[in-house]
Each structure stands twice: as C-alpha cells, then as structure tokens.
C-alpha cells in the first residue's frame, strides 16, 4: 500500500466512510482483509475534494438510449456510424448518450457479457466510444448481476480454477426457489457440467447469464475495478442493470435485499470519492414503491428509472383519459436533494407491466393487453410463486403501440405519439429518448422472427442509407417525428421550470381527457402549465381553472400563441400539448422552425 500521507483521502477517512456500509454485507474478518485491498485499488483515483456535486444536471440535460449498432453502414463501424448520425442530426438536441452494452457478449443483445473491459470488435473499439464522449455525456451499463456462461470467469468455475471457481452460486438441485421473484419462467438453478461433475448454478435471467456471488468480496472488488475503468473511459452515468437481484439469500424473495442496497450505497460512496460528477442510475422494473427505495436516504442511486410512466401513459392514451396518470403522479414524492427521476417511455426492453400493479383494474389491464396484441405486440410472461404465469412486459415498438386506441387504429398515430413524448419531457426528472422513438421506427417483425426473441421487435437496426432517404423526405413519419421532437426538445432545454428538480403539482381540470400539471423553476421566476389532450377528440380548457396570475403575460411555448383572456376558453386539438408560461426562455435563432403539422391536426 502507498503511504497514506501522499493520498488525497487517508486510509482512516476512507475507512470511516466505507466501513459502515460493508459491515451490512460482510463479516468482520472479511472486512479486515477487504478494506486495505479496496483502498489500494482506488487510492490513485481519489480526489481531495469529494463533496457531493449537486449540479450534475439541469433542464438542459437530455439523453438518448441506443444500441451501438442501431444504425449501420458499409463504410464505417457501427459506433462510428452512430457518431456520424449523432453529430449530423442530434448535436443540438441531446446532451448524453446511453450506449447499451457494447462489450463482447453471447446472448440477450449484449446483456450476457463475456468481457466487461473490452469493446465488441464488431461494433468498434474504445477510441470510437471515447469519440462519442467528446461531444456527448456517456452512460455505460454495469451488468453487475450476472456474466456470460462463455466468460473466462465461468470457464474457470467449470475447471475449478481461481478466481472464477468462487464467483458463482452453486446449490443443491433441490434447493427451494418458489419464493424467488424474477422476470423469467425458466428454472432458477441451471445444471452445468464441470470438472467436479454436474453442478447447479443460479441463473435469474437465462442459462447463459450466470449470477455472480457477491458474498465473495472478490466479486465486489472485480466490479469496483470495472467501475473505475468505465470512469477512465469517460462514463458520466453508470447504469446498474437488473441490480435489484444482486444479493441472493435462499428462502427469501431474493430481490431488494438489504445487502443489495448496501452494495449500491458503497458503489456510490466510492464514486463520490473518485469523481463526484458521475451519476449512478438503478434499473429496477418493479412496482413504484419498491422502485423508490433505491433513492435510499439520499445515499444510493442518483437517478431511478420512472418505470410506472411507460405503461400508465400508454394506457391513458389508449383510453383517452388521465385518471390513472393523475393518481400515480400525486403519489410520487419529489426526488430527494441530489437525486432525480429518469423519465422514459420506450427502451430496448418491452413496456414493463409490474409497475401497473395496484393501479390498473383487471378489466382495463386486459383491454390494454388485447389492444397491444391487435397492434402487433408480443406479451412476455413471468412465473409467480404459485406456479402460475402473468404478463410481465409488452414487446412492441412504441410508435406502433400508439397507432390507435382501445377502439382500434385511427389517423392520429403521429399526433398521439408526439403527445406521449411531450408529456414525458415535461415531467419532473431527466428525459431519455429511445432512438427508435426519435425515428418513429415501426415493429420489426422480421427481426423478431429471425432471432426468435420477443424483444427484437423493438431493436431494429437501420440501414443508414435507407434512413437517410426517409429523413430527407419531409412527409415521412421518420422526418416528421424527428424534426418536431427535436424542436420541442430544444425549446424545453431552455426553460428553467423544466429543471429535473423544479416544483411539480398535479392539476385537476374538470375534463378527464386533459392531463395537466404545473412546473415552477427553482428560483420561482418561471411557471409552466403543461397541458395535454389525451384523446382523439377536441376538448375545451377553461383557463380560469388554472388560476393564472393576471399581472403576467402568458404564451404557449409550443405554438407561440399568446393568451390574453385568462378567463376565456381554449380549444385543444386531438393530442395537442400546451406549455403555457409567464416567462419564456426562447432563443429563436437556435431553435428550428416549427414543423407544419396542420395536415396532421384534423378536427
């Protein structure tokens, strides 16, 4: 160990911060060995000033979610092609890019990682990743729960070699697992041929994704090393994939266990000492109350995925009413200081249904499932403790999911889709757009049939030449959606009332088709009333319901229309959104021209 006098943070100070967390996970004897090894590992990375950075985000932060090969061309690597697309089309629109796992893998489109420290050569190399990071803040996945069965670690396990032989959970095949909560119907324990005979290893997600044993402190140290490597390669956000399952304790539900929370808090504490500007985000697709627990006491995740939003917003637009959205919004506490919600409506996975538990009645839930099936969706199931199965997620392109309502397809697909994205970017939190939402990508039935996996329906790989042709045609859905969403995002990025932690209050207009809420800037110098018609019919808003201050001038940021009669009525077109503000921050010189949507707004 280096002498502590030369360290930015002494071993004693380091121990004072980390020991109480590790004590909740490991035995005293383990900690005595673990602490100096951990300190040695991070000592050169430690910063002398590691106060919490409360300025990691503001209203300007917008993220894109994409695979490294969502756009491909013949004359450049996928990551180089992605970088070209970003700089051509999104340089003034998004500020950060979540590149989904870009490591060598064996299955699950990257989430069965073979090597956490290498870039998949089919995508490019670290230089390509870092090139994207020069213009955009990068998010990397830390797939901390499991590793590929083709990894060196698991091969070592099968050969009874160090270090991997002690990295996995090996249990008798008759170990009771009925109480284990998980999103799959496959067996929890998978038999594996090893040099010592058949052994049964824990596999939460698939036989190719073998869970790691964090009761071995060496596994924890391996992932600290990986986190440090990601920071060196430019990660500004680290996404903890499927992190709720991290700790296993047979006989329990094996999700959200106290040790899991303590390990995440330790990750955060170490990052705080290494680079306070890096944010941890937890991915836990579970009911809302469970999800909120990952904020901890302001000492765990900096951001949590807002998993309830996608299914509830989809259902609201299917039904043309805002009641469940309002109920959910009123139940959401403001994010703690130094924390934020991560808002999204679509991702590389399906639309999770567990967050609807306790919010949607059985009949309405079934209508949602049936409607999505009629629009081309696949429904993925999960096993319950009683042996039955229940719907776990809807697998569909969001653009196609919004092609109609519970009454069937209609002519309002683009307006309905843009409304969904406008709601999302208006809410408290940081907005994240899946690349296939910005590109209005339809269901990839051919891709799904080729892979045999439901999720492939929403993981299309665009041919760059084909995409360029569509984006050059102003009447294509791709060009229309990208242009209008880019315009709205750029307006949104300038509004202080859309700071991720700005005040948010749910409003209650008499009309159930209207979803409305109020945002107020941290300095209280700007208000925005965000109002959305969730139906395919025009609806009237009575402005006196908003109690607008009559000493201010009010205008709609989206249309540019002024509101002079604050006691009058305003007629919203189907799926129209309004950002009514008293103090617009609007730089017309840096905002694209309004996309002509009159041909879309059909009354």
């Amino acid at each position: 160990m280096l002498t502590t006098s030369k360290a930015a943070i002494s071993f004693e100070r380091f121990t004072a911060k980390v020991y109480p967390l590790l004590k909740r996970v490991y035995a005293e004897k383990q900690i005595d060995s673990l602490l100096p090894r951990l300190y040695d590992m991070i000592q050169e990375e430690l910063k002398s000033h590691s106060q919490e950075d409360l300025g990691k985000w503001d209203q300007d932060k917008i993220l894109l979610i994409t695979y490294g090969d969502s756009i491909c061309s013949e004359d450049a690597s996928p990551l180089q092609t992605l970088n070209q697309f970003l700089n051509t089309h999104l340089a003034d629109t998004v500020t950060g890019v979540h590149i989904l796992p870009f490591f060598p893998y064996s299955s699950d489109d990257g989430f069965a990682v073979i090597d956490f420290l290498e870039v998949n050569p089919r995508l490019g190399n670290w230089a390509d990743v870092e090139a994207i990071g020069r213009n955009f803040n990068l998010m990397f996945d830390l797939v901390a729960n499991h590793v590929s069965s083709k990894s060196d670690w698991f091969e070592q396990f099968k050969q009874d070699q160090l270090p991997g032989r002690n990295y996995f959970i090996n249990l008798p095949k008759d170990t009771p697992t009925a109480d284990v909560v998980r999103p799959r119907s496959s067996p929890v324990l998978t038999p594996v041929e090893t040099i010592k005979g058949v052994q049964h290893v824990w596999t939460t997600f698939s036989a190719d994704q073998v869970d790691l044993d964090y009761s071995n402190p060496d596994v924890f140290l391996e992932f600290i090393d990986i986190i440090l490597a990601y920071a060196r390669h430019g990660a500004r956000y680290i996404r903890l994939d499927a992190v709720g399952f991290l700790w296993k304790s047979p006989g329990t539900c094996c999700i959200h266990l106290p040790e899991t929370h303590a390990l995440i808090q330790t990750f955060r504490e170490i990052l705080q000492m290494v680079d306070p500007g890096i944010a941890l985000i937890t991915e836990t697709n579970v009911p809302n109350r469970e999800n909120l627990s990952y904020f901890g006491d302001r000492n765990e995740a900096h951001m949590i995925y807002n998993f309830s939003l996608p299914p509830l917003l989809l259902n609201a637009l299917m039904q043309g009413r805002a009641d469940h959205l309002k109920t959910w919004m009123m139940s959401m506490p403001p994010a703690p200081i130094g924390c934020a919600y991560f808002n999204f409506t679509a991702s590389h996975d399906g639309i999770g249904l567990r967050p609807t538990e306790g919010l949607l009645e059985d009949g309405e839930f079934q209508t949602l499932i049936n409607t999505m099936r009629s629009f081309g969706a696949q429904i993925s199931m999960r096993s319950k403790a009683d042996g039955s199965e229940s719907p776990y997620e809807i697998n569909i392109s969001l653009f196609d999911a919004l092609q109609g309502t519970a009454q069937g397809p209609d002519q309002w697909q683009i307006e309905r889709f843009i409304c969904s994205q406008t709601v999302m970017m208006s809410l408290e939190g940081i907005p994240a757009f899946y690349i296939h939402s910005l590109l209005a990508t339809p269901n990839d039935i051919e891709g799904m049939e080729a892979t045999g996996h439901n999720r492939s329906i929403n993981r299309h790989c665009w041919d760059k030449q084909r995409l360029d042709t569509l984006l050059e045609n102003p009447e294509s859905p791709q060009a229309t959606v990208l242009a209008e969403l880019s315009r709205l995002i750029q307006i949104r990025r300038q509004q202080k009332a859309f700071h991720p932690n700005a005040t948010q209050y749910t409003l209650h207009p008499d009309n159930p088709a209207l979803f409305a809420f109020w945002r107020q800037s941290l300095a209280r110098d700007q208000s925005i009333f965000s109002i959305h018609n969730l139906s395919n019919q025009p609806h009237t808003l009575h402005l006196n319901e908003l109690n607008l201050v009559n000493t201010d001038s009010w205008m709609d940021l989206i249309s540019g229309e002024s509101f002079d009669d604050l006691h009058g009525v305003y007629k919203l077109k189907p799926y129209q959104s309004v950002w009514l503000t008293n103090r617009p921050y609007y730089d017309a010189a840096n905002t694209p021209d309004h996309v002509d949507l009159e041909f879309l707004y059909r009354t």
Side-chain angles (χ1 to χ4, degrees), residues 184-376:
R184 297 290 186 272
S185 300
S186 55
V188 174
L189 298 177
T190 296
V192 178
E193 290 284 351
T194 77
I195 198 171
K196 298 169 69 174
V198 176
Q199 301 195 51
H200 292 78
V201 295
W202 196 290
T203 52
T204 296
F205 291 92
S206 76
D208 188 42
Q209 294 165 289
V210 190
D211 289 46
L212 291 150
D213 184 4
Y214 279 84
S215 68
N216 178 357
D218 289 345
V219 172
F220 168 74
L221 287 176
E222 292 278 13
F223 278 89
I224 293 298
D225 188 51
I226 293 166
I227 288 173
L228 295 176
Y230 290 175
R232 294 185 202 109
H233 284 296
R236 306 313 299 158
Y237 309 90
I238 294 178
R239 174 185 181 269
L240 301 179
D241 175 69
V243 72
F245 303 99
L246 213 60
W247 191 269
K248 314 300 187 298
S249 182
T252 73
C253 62
C254 296
I255 187 172
H256 316 318
L257 297 183
E259 294 88 348
T260 291
H261 287 284
L263 286 169
I264 298 170
Q265 290 167 21
T266 309
F267 287 154
R268 172 165 170 161
E269 189 63 53
I270 289 171
L271 271 178
Q272 181 70 29
M273 291 184 276
V274 170
D275 187 341
I278 295 176
L280 273 184
I281 175 170
T282 51
E283 186 261 343
T284 50
N285 191 354
V286 293
N288 199 45
R289 182 172 297 181
E290 299 171 38
N291 194 30
L292 288 167
S293 71
Y294 285 86
F295 279 140
D297 186 18
R298 291 190 58 234
N299 62 346
E300 202 163 331
H302 295 98
M303 297 187 287
I304 64 171
Y305 273 74
N306 217 336
F307 273 109
S308 295
L309 177 60
L312 291 177
L313 180 56
L314 175 62
N315 184 71
L317 289 163
M318 290 300 94
Q319 299 290 346
R321 66 178 200 271
D323 50 345
H324 297 310
L325 270 180
K326 290 198 297 184
T327 299
W328 162 73
M329 178 179 276
M330 288 187 293
S331 73
M332 292 290 285
I337 296 171
C339 301
Y341 293 111
F342 188 79
N343 294 329
F344 71 110
T345 54
S347 73
H348 61 292
D349 289 340
I351 298 169
L353 294 170
R354 286 206 66 204
T356 68
E357 294 174 9
L359 293 172
L360 297 185
E361 297 179 357
D362 290 345
E364 191 169 350
F365 180 83
Q366 195 57 51
T367 297
L368 176 63
I369 296 294
N370 293 341
T371 302
M372 290 300 102
R373 280 198 174 112
S374 73
F375 293 168

Side-chain angles (χ1 to χ4, degrees), residues 15 120 156 197 247 284 310 336 452 455 516 550:
T15 299
N120 184 348
Q156 292 161 2
W247 191 269
T284 50
R455 286 177 169 176
N550 60 15

Side-chain angles (χ1 to χ4, degrees), residues 12 35 74 85 101 115 122 154 182 187 222 237 255 267 306 328 336 354 383 409 411 436 458 478 504 533 537 570 603:
E12 290 75 20
L35 274 173
E74 295 181 356
F85 175 82
D115 189 335
R122 188 181 65 80
F154 197 64
R182 53 200 290 270
E222 292 278 13
Y237 309 90
I255 187 172
F267 287 154
N306 217 336
W328 162 73
R354 286 206 66 204
S383 296
Q411 74 270 40
H436 293 305
N458 192 32
Q478 287 68 38
Q504 176 173 286
N533 180 0
Q537 300 296 318
Y570 184 75
T603 58

Side-chain angles (χ1 to χ4, degrees), residues 416-464:
R416 186 182 295 112
F417 183 78
I418 290 174
C419 178
S420 74
Q421 303 308 287
T422 309
V423 170
M424 184 269 288
M425 73 174 91
S426 306
L427 292 166
E428 175 192 347
I430 298 170
F433 293 83
Y434 189 35
I435 192 169
H436 293 305
S437 294
L438 290 181
L439 296 177
T441 307
N443 290 334
D444 189 348
I445 303 298
E446 184 178 329
M448 180 181 66
E449 293 175 346
T451 65
H453 298 299
N454 288 350
R455 286 177 169 176
S456 297
I457 197 172
N458 192 32
R459 297 178 177 179
H460 182 65
C461 179
W462 278 101
D463 173 75
K464 183 177 182 297

Side-chain angles (χ1 to χ4, degrees), residues 363-551:
E364 191 169 350
F365 180 83
Q366 195 57 51
T367 297
L368 176 63
I369 296 294
N370 293 341
T371 302
M372 290 300 102
R373 280 198 174 112
S374 73
F375 293 168
Q378 301 294 310
I379 308 298
S380 295
M381 311 293 285
R382 72 178 182 97
S383 296
K384 300 169 71 173
D386 62 4
S388 64
E389 290 191 333
S390 64
Y392 174 71
E393 70 178 16
I394 302 168
N395 300 114
I396 192 170
S397 148
L398 184 63
F399 186 65
D400 272 0
L402 292 169
Q403 65 185 267
T405 68
Q407 284 68 51
D410 59 25
Q411 74 270 40
W412 301 102
Q413 182 177 19
I414 290 179
E415 301 93 320
R416 186 182 295 112
F417 183 78
I418 290 174
C419 178
S420 74
Q421 303 308 287
T422 309
V423 170
M424 184 269 288
M425 73 174 91
S426 306
L427 292 166
E428 175 192 347
I430 298 170
F433 293 83
Y434 189 35
I435 192 169
H436 293 305
S437 294
L438 290 181
L439 296 177
T441 307
N443 290 334
D444 189 348
I445 303 298
E446 184 178 329
M448 180 181 66
E449 293 175 346
T451 65
H453 298 299
N454 288 350
R455 286 177 169 176
S456 297
I457 197 172
N458 192 32
R459 297 178 177 179
H460 182 65
C461 179
W462 278 101
D463 173 75
K464 183 177 182 297
Q465 185 174 358
R466 167 65 175 156
L467 180 59
D468 286 343
T469 299
L470 289 170
L471 292 178
E472 289 167 3
N473 175 7
E475 295 186 3
S476 73
Q478 287 68 38
T480 302
V481 168
L482 180 60
E484 180 63 357
L485 288 182
S486 295
R487 183 184 79 89
L488 293 172
I489 291 168
Q490 290 177 47
I491 294 172
R492 184 235 187 250
R493 286 176 58 184
Q494 300 174 62
Q495 311 310 314
K496 295 180 180 180
F498 284 142
H499 187 286
N501 300 112
T503 298
Q504 176 173 286
Y505 283 112
T506 309
L507 303 177
H508 301 277
D510 290 338
N511 192 327
L514 300 184
F515 182 46
F517 48 97
W518 174 59
R519 303 295 310 278
Q520 185 184 52
S521 61
L522 299 175
R524 300 183 180 182
D525 59 346
Q526 184 190 31
S527 289
I528 294 179
F529 289 85
S530 186
I531 305 156
H532 311 269
N533 180 0
L534 302 183
S535 81
N536 58 10
Q537 300 296 318
H539 284 283
T540 297
L541 170 70
H542 293 271
L543 294 177
N544 57 9
E545 294 184 74
L546 303 179
N547 293 321
L548 301 176
V549 178
N550 60 15
T551 56

